[in-house]
Amino acid sequence: MTTSSSRIAVLASSRVVLEGRLSAGTVVISQDTGKITSIFHSVLPASDFPAGTEYTDYSPHVLLPGLVDAHVHLNEPGRTEWEGFWTGTQAAAFGGVTTVIDMPLNAIPPTTTVDGFKEKVEAAQGKCWVDVGFYGGIVPGNATELRPLVDQGVRGFKGFLVDSGVPEFPAVSSTDIALAMAALAEEPTTLMFHAEMIPPVTDSVGDHVQWSLPPLAPIGPLNEYATFLASRPTSFETYAIAEILSLAHIAPDLPLHIVHLSAVEAIPLLQEAMASGVKITAETCFHYLSLAAENVEHGDTRHKCCPPIRSKSNQEGLWEELLRKEGCIKTVVSDHSPCTPNLKLLPASIRHVGLKQTDSDEQSKGDFFAAWGGVSSVGLGLSILWTEGQSHGISVEDVATWCCRNTAKQVGLEKRKGELAVGYDGDVAVFDDEGMFEVGEDAMLFRNKCSPYQGKRLRGIVKETWLRGQKIWERDGEGFGKPGPRGRLLTERRR
C-alpha cells in the first residue's frame, strides 16, 4: 500500500505484463518523478490509496510497457513536408509507442556531425509527444565525428552499404566501416547497417535504394511488383552481411545490428556468427511480417521499400526465426519512412479517397523503380503485429519482448524503458487485444496519409497511452488533451 504524500497515478488490471509474464497487477507511478514506485501482483482497490488518487482499473484490457520503436524517420529539419516531430510522435502515441529513436536521415542536415546533431535537437524542442532518442550516421569521412556524437548522446550509428537515396547520406565502403569500427570499438553504442550490397555479378539494375533506372532487361512491366522484386534479389542482403561479418574482428566487443532484415537466406549467416561469438543481432519490420509480394497490386507503390517485401514463404521464415527463443531476430520495428504522396507516383486506380497527388507524366504512374521507397506505419505496428500474429500463436508477452524490452536494450535504455518495474519510467500502453478497427485517416496520424495499410482491418486497439505517469493519449476521450507535448529528448550519454 502506498502511503507517500507525493502525487501518484495508479493503473491496475487483471492482465499486466510483469517480469515477462501476464498476471494481475497494480502499477503505482509517481507523477513528480515519472518513475514507477511500486508494483503489486494483484488488483488493489482504489480504497487502498489516498483519497483523490488518480486510479483506474483497466480490466480486462492489457497493460503493456510503452513500446520503444527503435527505427523511425522523422525527417526534421529539412524535409518536414514528409514528416516532423509533432506529427510523427503523435502517431507513435496513438499506437502505444512512448519512445521513438530517430534515424540520422532523411533530415537535412543528417546526423553525421555534432553540428548536425545540435541542429536536429534544436528543431525537436517543444514538438515531441513521446520521448525521442537519436541515432548518428556513418558516412565516408566522418570517423572523427563518431566519438563526439557518442558524447552528445546518440544511441547508436547507422550506415548504408548501398546508395541511401539522398545525396547527403552516401554509402560507406569496407574501408569506411573499418574506420568506424575502430573509432567505436570501446564506446557504449551499437553499429547498425542497411545491409544490401551488389554482389560481384548480378543482373540487377544497380544499388540505388530509392530512385533508379529500370533494368536493361526487366522481367516484366515496371508497374508490376514482381519486376521490382527480381531487381533486388536476396543475394543483396547475404553479400552485405557477409561483408560486415568479415570486418567484425576489428571491434569484437562492439555490438553490431542489421536493420530491417528481409531475406531469410541471411539468417544462417547470422546464426553461425552468433554461435562463434560475434555480437550481432537483427531486427525485422511490421511490413515484412504482414505484407507479401504475391498480394501487391500492379502500381501500388505504397508497398515499395528496400530491402523489398518478399514472398509469403519468405515471410513465414522470418516468423519462424522471430519465434525461436535463441533466434537472431530480436526486435520488430516500424522503419517508418514516409514521403509526400506525389513521390509515390500512384496510378489513379490505386489512389485512395482524400489522397492529394500532383499530376505528373501518367506514363510513370505506378513505376516501382521511379517511386520513392518507404512504408508509413508508425503507431500502427502493435495492431499490425497482433493481427498477423494470431495465426502464429503469439502472446502479449512476445510483443513486450520484441517491441519493448529488446528494443530498449538495443539503444541502451534497458534500465529505464521497456519494462513495468520499480525504478523504470511510468510508460504504459492500455491495450484492448480483442478490439478491431479499420485503418482510415483517423488512424494514420503521421503527416501524409499514404500507407499500404489503409483500408485494412486490424485487431488490437490502444485505448490509452501514458508517459511517465501522465496520460498523453486516450482513444475514447479527449485524444491528446490540452497540456501539449510532454516528450523529452533522450540526449544523455549512453552508458
Side-chain angles (χ1 to χ4, degrees):
M1 184 181 299
T2 301
T3 58
S4 169
S5 60
S6 65
R7 297 181 306 119
I8 59 173
V10 180
L11 286 64
S13 177
S14 57
R15 297 192 297 163
V16 186
V17 178
L18 298 172
E19 300 175 355
R21 298 188 301 273
L22 193 64
S23 69
T26 302
V27 181
V28 181
I29 307 168
S30 167
Q31 293 185 311
D32 296 322
T33 66
K35 299 291 186 180
I36 297 173
T37 57
S38 303
I39 295 284
F40 300 90
H41 290 265
S42 62
V43 176
L44 299 184
S47 58
D48 276 12
F49 300 92
T53 294
E54 187 172 1
Y55 173 97
T56 307
D57 180 354
Y58 290 99
S59 303
H61 298 329
V62 179
L63 300 188
L64 282 166
L67 276 67
V68 178
D69 192 339
H71 192 145
V72 176
H73 295 265
L74 293 174
N75 301 335
E76 188 173 357
R79 288 192 175 95
T80 51
E81 71 275 17
W82 292 12
E83 191 61 272
F85 289 107
W86 185 282
T87 51
T89 58
Q90 276 201 337
F94 171 89
V97 176
T98 53
T99 304
V100 300
I101 312 298
D102 182 41
M103 280 289 165
L105 73 166
N106 300 301
I108 302 174
T111 315
T112 53
T113 65
V114 169
D115 287 345
F117 176 76
K118 289 180 177 178
E119 192 167 338
K120 178 168 280 192
V121 169
E122 179 63 27
Q125 298 294 331
K127 300 176 183 176
C128 298
W129 292 84
V130 302
D131 287 355
V132 177
F134 303 92
Y135 290 122
I138 61 169
V139 294
N142 83 325
T144 59
E145 294 275 356
L146 303 184
R147 288 178 186 166
L149 280 167
V150 173
D151 292 337
Q152 290 292 315
V154 301
R155 314 306 305 182
F157 293 88
K158 178 187 181 182
F160 277 68
L161 277 72
V162 290
D163 182 274
S164 72
V166 291
E168 66 275 5
F169 204 95
V172 289
S173 66
S174 296
T175 300
D176 299 318
I177 295 171
L179 289 171
M181 286 181 169
L184 298 172
E186 304 299 326
E187 297 293 338
T189 193
T190 302
L191 185 54
M192 311 182 301
F193 298 96
H194 179 124
E196 287 187 292
M197 191 175 184
I198 295 184
V201 178
T202 179
D203 292 327
S204 179
V205 59
D207 67 353
H208 289 256
V209 166
Q210 302 298 351
W211 296 285
S212 65
L213 296 172
L216 294 177
I219 68 165
L222 304 185
N223 71 336
E224 290 189 9
Y225 188 75
T227 309
F228 171 68
L229 180 59
S231 78
R232 304 196 78 88
T234 58
S235 57
F236 273 34
E237 293 187 67
T238 55
Y239 186 61
I241 289 172
E243 185 70 14
I244 293 162
L245 292 174
S246 74
L247 299 167
H249 67 278
I250 295 171
D253 295 324
L254 177 64
L256 307 176
H257 184 74
I258 304 302
V259 299
H260 47 51
L261 182 71
S262 165
V264 293
E265 287 85 349
I267 290 173
L269 292 174
L270 294 169
Q271 291 173 337
E272 182 179 354
M274 291 172 63
S276 66
V278 177
K279 293 185 176 180
I280 190 164
T281 55
E283 68 189 37
T284 195
C285 301
F286 303 117
H287 44 276
Y288 298 132
L289 296 172
S290 62
L291 304 175
E294 295 91 333
N295 301 325
V296 179
E297 294 182 30
H298 292 348
D300 194 352
T301 55
R302 293 175 299 178
H303 293 79
K304 181 189 175 180
C305 59
C306 294
I309 294 163
R310 301 192 187 276
S311 67
K312 182 66 176 177
S313 61
N314 183 89
Q315 182 185 102
E316 289 304 313
L318 293 175
W319 270 107
E320 181 179 340
E321 182 67 7
L322 179 64
L323 288 163
R324 198 168 67 87
K325 188 174 182 181
E326 301 302 325
C328 62
I329 303 175
K330 301 296 186 185
T331 55
V332 186
V333 297
S334 69
D335 186 16
H336 175 68
S337 186
C339 66
T340 52
N342 60 296
L343 296 180
K344 280 295 190 181
L345 302 176
L346 287 166
S349 60
I350 297 294
R351 294 179 220 171
H352 53 267
V353 175
L355 174 59
K356 296 179 181 179
Q357 182 165 312
T358 59
D359 290 332
S360 62
D361 182 5
E362 195 63 32
Q363 293 283 333
S364 67
K365 293 297 179 67
D367 183 339
F368 280 98
F369 295 87
W372 175 266
V375 172
S376 295
S377 66
V378 68
L380 299 175
L382 174 56
S383 301
I384 294 167
L385 187 63
W386 189 243
T387 301
E388 189 67 24
Q390 297 306 294
S391 62
H392 294 86
I394 72 168
S395 65
V396 289
E397 297 98 311
D398 292 327
V399 172
T401 297
W402 302 326
C403 302
C404 306
R405 183 182 310 113
N406 287 357
T407 44
K409 182 178 180 181
Q410 177 184 319
V411 296
L413 292 171
E414 68 271 23
K415 295 182 179 179
R416 179 176 175 182
K417 303 284 189 182
E419 298 265 10
L420 296 178
V422 172
Y424 281 65
D425 287 356
D427 302 345
V428 184
V430 181
F431 184 54
D432 175 4
D433 59 324
E434 296 292 336
M436 301 279 294
F437 71 101
E438 182 174 310
V439 180
E441 291 198 14
D442 60 344
M444 297 185 292
L445 273 59
F446 36 86
R447 186 179 299 279
N448 294 292
K449 320 304 182 189
C450 182
S451 171
Y453 292 102
Q454 178 149 18
K456 296 185 183 298
R457 285 190 59 78
L458 300 179
R459 178 180 296 275
I461 295 173
V462 174
K463 306 293 285 185
E464 295 180 8
T465 303
W466 289 69
L467 180 69
R468 291 189 307 278
Q470 304 289 338
K471 187 192 300 180
I472 60 170
W473 159 257
E474 59 178 336
R475 189 180 182 96
D476 300 324
E478 296 183 357
F480 287 97
K482 297 179 181 180
R486 296 176 182 268
R488 295 177 181 172
L489 305 184
L490 307 176
T491 55
E492 69 278 6
R493 193 181 195 276
R494 184 169 169 176
R495 303 295 178 189

